[in-house]
Coordinates of all heavy atoms in Angstrom, one line a residue:
F1 N 0.8 -1.2 0.0 CA 0.0 0.0 0.0 C 0.9 1.3 0.0 O 2.0 1.3 0.6 CB -0.9 0.0 1.2 CG -1.9 -1.1 1.2 CD1 -1.8 -2.2 2.0 CD2 -3.1 -1.0 0.4 CE1 -2.7 -3.2 2.0 CE2 -4.0 -2.0 0.4 CZ -3.8 -3.1 1.2
L2 N 0.3 2.3 -0.6 CA 1.0 3.6 -0.7 C 0.1 4.6 0.0 O -1.0 4.9 -0.5 CB 1.3 4.0 -2.1 CG 2.0 5.4 -2.3 CD1 3.4 5.4 -1.6 CD2 2.1 5.8 -3.7
Y3 N 0.6 5.2 1.1 CA -0.2 6.2 1.8 C 0.4 7.6 1.8 O 1.6 7.7 1.6 CB -0.3 5.8 3.3 CG -1.1 4.5 3.6 CD1 -0.4 3.3 3.8 CD2 -2.5 4.5 3.6 CE1 -1.1 2.2 4.0 CE2 -3.2 3.4 3.8 CZ -2.5 2.2 4.0 OH -3.2 1.0 4.3
Q4 N -0.4 8.6 2.0 CA 0.1 10.0 2.0 C -0.4 10.7 3.3 O -1.6 10.5 3.7 CB -0.4 10.8 0.8 CG 0.0 12.2 0.7 CD -0.8 13.0 -0.4 OE1 -1.9 13.5 0.0 NE2 -0.3 13.1 -1.6
Y5 N 0.5 11.5 3.9 CA 0.1 12.2 5.1 C 0.5 13.7 4.9 O 1.6 14.0 4.2 CB 0.9 11.7 6.3 CG 0.6 10.3 6.8 CD1 1.3 9.2 6.2 CD2 -0.3 10.1 7.8 CE1 1.0 7.9 6.6 CE2 -0.6 8.8 8.2 CZ 0.1 7.7 7.6 OH -0.2 6.4 8.0
N6 N -0.3 14.6 5.4 CA 0.1 16.0 5.4 C 0.8 16.4 6.7 O 0.1 16.5 7.7 CB -1.2 16.9 5.2 CG -0.9 18.4 5.1 OD1 0.2 18.8 5.4 ND2 -1.8 19.1 4.6
V7 N 2.1 16.5 6.6 CA 2.9 16.8 7.9 C 2.8 18.2 8.3 O 3.4 18.5 9.4 CB 4.3 16.3 7.7 CG1 4.4 14.8 7.5 CG2 5.0 17.0 6.5
T8 N 2.1 19.1 7.6 CA 1.9 20.5 8.1 C 0.6 20.6 8.9 O 0.4 21.6 9.5 CB 1.9 21.4 6.9 OG1 0.7 21.2 6.1 CG2 3.1 21.3 6.0
S9 N -0.2 19.5 8.9 CA -1.4 19.6 9.6 C -1.2 19.5 11.1 O -0.3 18.7 11.6 CB -2.3 18.5 9.1 OG -3.5 18.3 9.9
P10 N -2.1 20.1 11.9 CA -2.0 19.9 13.4 C -2.4 18.5 13.8 O -2.1 18.1 14.9 CB -2.9 21.0 13.9 CG -3.8 21.3 12.8 CD -3.0 21.2 11.6
N11 N -3.1 17.8 12.9 CA -3.5 16.4 13.2 C -3.1 15.6 12.0 O -3.9 15.2 11.1 CB -5.0 16.4 13.4 CG -5.5 15.0 13.8 OD1 -4.7 14.1 13.9 ND2 -6.8 14.9 14.0
I12 N -1.8 15.2 12.0 CA -1.2 14.5 10.9 C -1.9 13.1 10.7 O -2.3 12.8 9.5 CB 0.3 14.3 11.1 CG1 1.0 15.6 11.2 CG2 0.9 13.5 9.9 CD1 2.5 15.5 11.5
P13 N -2.2 12.3 11.7 CA -2.9 11.0 11.5 C -4.2 11.2 10.7 O -4.6 10.3 9.9 CB -3.1 10.5 12.9 CG -2.0 11.1 13.7 CD -1.9 12.5 13.1
A14 N -4.9 12.2 10.9 CA -6.2 12.4 10.3 C -6.1 12.6 8.8 O -7.1 12.5 8.1 CB -7.0 13.5 11.0
T15 N -5.0 13.0 8.3 CA -4.8 13.2 6.9 C -4.4 12.0 6.1 O -4.2 12.1 4.9 CB -3.7 14.3 6.7 OG1 -2.4 13.8 7.0 CG2 -4.0 15.6 7.5
K16 N -4.3 10.9 6.7 CA -3.9 9.6 6.1 C -4.8 9.4 4.9 O -6.0 9.3 5.0 CB -3.9 8.5 7.0 CG -3.4 7.1 6.4 CD -3.5 6.0 7.5 CE -3.0 4.7 6.9 NZ -3.1 3.6 8.0
T17 N -4.2 9.2 3.7 CA -4.9 8.9 2.5 C -4.3 7.8 1.7 O -3.1 7.7 1.5 CB -4.9 10.2 1.5 OG1 -5.4 11.3 2.2 CG2 -5.7 9.9 0.3
L18 N -5.1 6.8 1.4 CA -4.6 5.6 0.6 C -4.5 6.1 -0.9 O -5.6 6.4 -1.5 CB -5.5 4.4 0.8 CG -5.2 3.2 -0.1 CD1 -3.8 2.7 0.2 CD2 -6.3 2.1 0.1
I19 N -3.3 6.1 -1.4 CA -3.2 6.5 -2.8 C -3.4 5.4 -3.8 O -4.1 5.5 -4.7 CB -1.8 7.1 -3.0 CG1 -1.5 8.4 -2.1 CG2 -1.5 7.5 -4.5 CD1 -2.5 9.5 -2.3
D20 N -2.8 4.3 -3.5 CA -3.0 3.1 -4.4 C -2.3 1.9 -3.8 O -1.8 2.0 -2.6 CB -2.4 3.4 -5.8 CG -3.1 2.7 -6.9 OD1 -3.6 1.6 -6.6 OD2 -3.2 3.2 -8.0
S21 N -2.3 0.8 -4.5 CA -1.7 -0.4 -4.0 C -1.1 -1.3 -5.1 O -1.5 -1.1 -6.3 CB -2.7 -1.3 -3.2 OG -3.7 -1.7 -4.0
L22 N -0.2 -2.1 -4.8 CA 0.4 -3.1 -5.7 C 0.0 -4.5 -5.2 O -0.1 -4.7 -4.0 CB 1.9 -3.0 -5.9 CG 2.5 -1.6 -6.2 CD1 4.0 -1.7 -6.2 CD2 2.0 -1.1 -7.5
Q23 N -0.3 -5.4 -6.1 CA -0.8 -6.7 -5.7 C 0.2 -7.8 -6.2 O 0.8 -7.7 -7.3 CB -2.1 -7.0 -6.3 CG -2.7 -8.3 -5.8 CD -4.2 -8.5 -6.2 OE1 -4.7 -7.6 -6.9 NE2 -4.8 -9.6 -5.8
N24 N 0.5 -8.7 -5.3 CA 1.4 -9.8 -5.7 C 0.9 -10.5 -7.0 O -0.3 -10.6 -7.2 CB 1.5 -10.8 -4.6 CG 2.6 -10.4 -3.6 OD1 3.1 -9.3 -3.6 ND2 2.9 -11.3 -2.6
P25 N 1.9 -10.9 -7.9 CA 3.3 -11.1 -7.6 C 4.1 -9.8 -7.7 O 5.4 -9.9 -7.5 CB 3.7 -12.1 -8.7 CG 2.8 -11.7 -9.9 CD 1.5 -11.4 -9.2
G26 N 3.5 -8.7 -7.9 CA 4.3 -7.4 -7.8 C 4.3 -6.9 -6.4 O 3.2 -6.9 -5.7
Q27 N 5.4 -6.6 -5.8 CA 5.6 -6.1 -4.5 C 6.4 -4.8 -4.4 O 7.4 -4.7 -5.1 CB 6.2 -7.2 -3.6 CG 6.3 -6.9 -2.1 CD 6.9 -8.0 -1.3 OE1 6.8 -9.2 -1.7 NE2 7.5 -7.7 -0.2
G28 N 6.0 -3.9 -3.6 CA 6.7 -2.6 -3.6 C 7.8 -2.6 -2.5 O 7.6 -3.2 -1.5
G29 N 8.8 -1.8 -2.8 CA 9.9 -1.7 -1.9 C 10.2 -0.2 -1.5 O 9.3 0.5 -1.0
E30 N 11.4 0.3 -1.9 CA 11.9 1.6 -1.5 C 11.2 2.7 -2.3 O 11.1 2.6 -3.5 CB 13.4 1.6 -1.6 CG 14.0 2.8 -0.9 CD 14.0 2.7 0.6 OE1 13.8 1.6 1.2 OE2 14.4 3.7 1.3
L31 N 10.9 3.8 -1.6 CA 10.5 5.1 -2.2 C 11.7 6.0 -2.2 O 12.5 6.1 -1.2 CB 9.4 5.7 -1.4 CG 8.0 5.0 -1.4 CD1 7.2 5.6 -0.2 CD2 7.3 5.1 -2.7
K32 N 11.9 6.8 -3.3 CA 12.9 7.8 -3.3 C 12.6 9.0 -4.2 O 12.2 8.7 -5.4 CB 14.3 7.2 -3.7 CG 15.5 8.1 -3.6 CD 16.8 7.4 -3.7 CE 18.0 8.3 -3.6 NZ 18.0 8.9 -2.2
L33 N 12.8 10.2 -3.7 CA 12.7 11.4 -4.6 C 13.9 11.5 -5.5 O 15.0 11.5 -5.0 CB 12.5 12.6 -3.7 CG 12.4 13.9 -4.4 CD1 11.0 14.0 -5.2 CD2 12.5 15.1 -3.5
A34 N 13.6 11.8 -6.7 CA 14.7 12.0 -7.7 C 14.9 13.5 -8.0 O 13.9 14.3 -7.7 CB 14.4 11.2 -9.0
P35 N 16.0 13.9 -8.6 CA 16.2 15.3 -8.9 C 15.2 15.9 -9.9 O 15.1 17.1 -10.0 CB 17.6 15.4 -9.5 CG 18.3 14.2 -8.8 CD 17.2 13.2 -8.7
D36 N 14.4 15.0 -10.6 CA 13.4 15.5 -11.5 C 12.1 15.9 -10.8 O 11.1 16.2 -11.4 CB 13.1 14.5 -12.6 CG 12.6 13.2 -12.1 OD1 12.4 13.0 -10.9 OD2 12.3 12.3 -12.9
G37 N 12.1 15.8 -9.4 CA 10.9 16.2 -8.7 C 9.9 15.1 -8.5 O 8.8 15.3 -8.0
K38 N 10.2 13.9 -9.0 CA 9.2 12.8 -8.9 C 9.7 11.8 -7.9 O 10.9 11.6 -7.7 CB 9.1 12.1 -10.3 CG 8.6 13.0 -11.4 CD 8.5 12.3 -12.7 CE 8.1 13.2 -13.9 NZ 8.0 12.5 -15.2
I39 N 8.8 11.0 -7.3 CA 9.1 10.0 -6.3 C 9.0 8.6 -7.0 O 7.9 8.3 -7.6 CB 8.3 10.0 -5.1 CG1 8.6 11.3 -4.3 CG2 8.5 8.8 -4.2 CD1 7.7 11.5 -3.1
Y40 N 10.0 7.8 -7.0 CA 10.0 6.5 -7.6 C 9.9 5.4 -6.6 O 10.4 5.5 -5.5 CB 11.3 6.3 -8.4 CG 11.4 7.3 -9.6 CD1 11.7 8.6 -9.5 CD2 11.1 6.8 -10.9 CE1 11.7 9.5 -10.6 CE2 11.1 7.7 -12.0 CZ 11.4 9.0 -11.8 OH 11.5 9.8 -12.9
W41 N 9.1 4.4 -6.9 CA 8.8 3.3 -6.0 C 9.4 2.0 -6.7 O 8.9 1.6 -7.7 CB 7.3 3.2 -5.8 CG 6.9 2.3 -4.7 CD1 7.7 1.7 -3.7 CD2 5.6 1.9 -4.4 NE1 7.0 1.0 -2.9 CE2 5.6 1.1 -3.2 CE3 4.3 2.1 -4.9 CZ2 4.5 0.5 -2.6 CZ3 3.2 1.6 -4.4 CH2 3.3 0.8 -3.2
A42 N 10.4 1.4 -6.0 CA 11.0 0.2 -6.6 C 10.0 -1.0 -6.3 O 9.2 -1.0 -5.4 CB 12.3 -0.1 -5.9
G43 N 10.2 -2.0 -7.2 CA 9.3 -3.2 -7.0 C 10.1 -4.5 -7.3 O 11.2 -4.4 -7.9
I44 N 9.5 -5.6 -6.9 CA 10.1 -6.9 -7.1 C 9.0 -7.8 -7.6 O 7.8 -7.7 -7.3 CB 10.7 -7.4 -5.8 CG1 11.6 -8.6 -6.1 CG2 9.7 -7.7 -4.8 CD1 12.4 -9.0 -4.8

């Protein structure tokens, strides 16, 4: 699962949003921001 939180909110847990999910046999691993301003999600 991929979740998003607004860390500027006074109630961060309440901002939890499910963005999407991957289903086996695809499995998600590391997230990383690249210099192009996009976040990449590795998979296996």
Side-chain angles (χ1 to χ4, degrees):
F1 294 101
L2 178 64
Y3 295 99
Q4 182 194 82
Y5 296 86
N6 184 345
V7 292
T8 68
S9 170
N11 187 357
I12 300 175
T15 68
K16 181 179 180 180
T17 302
L18 175 61
I19 300 300
D20 211 330
S21 64
L22 308 178
Q23 186 173 2
N24 276 8
Q27 183 177 335
E30 192 73 12
L31 295 164
K32 187 170 182 63
L33 178 70
D36 63 0
K38 301 177 182 181
I39 293 177
Y40 292 79
W41 193 9
I44 193 170

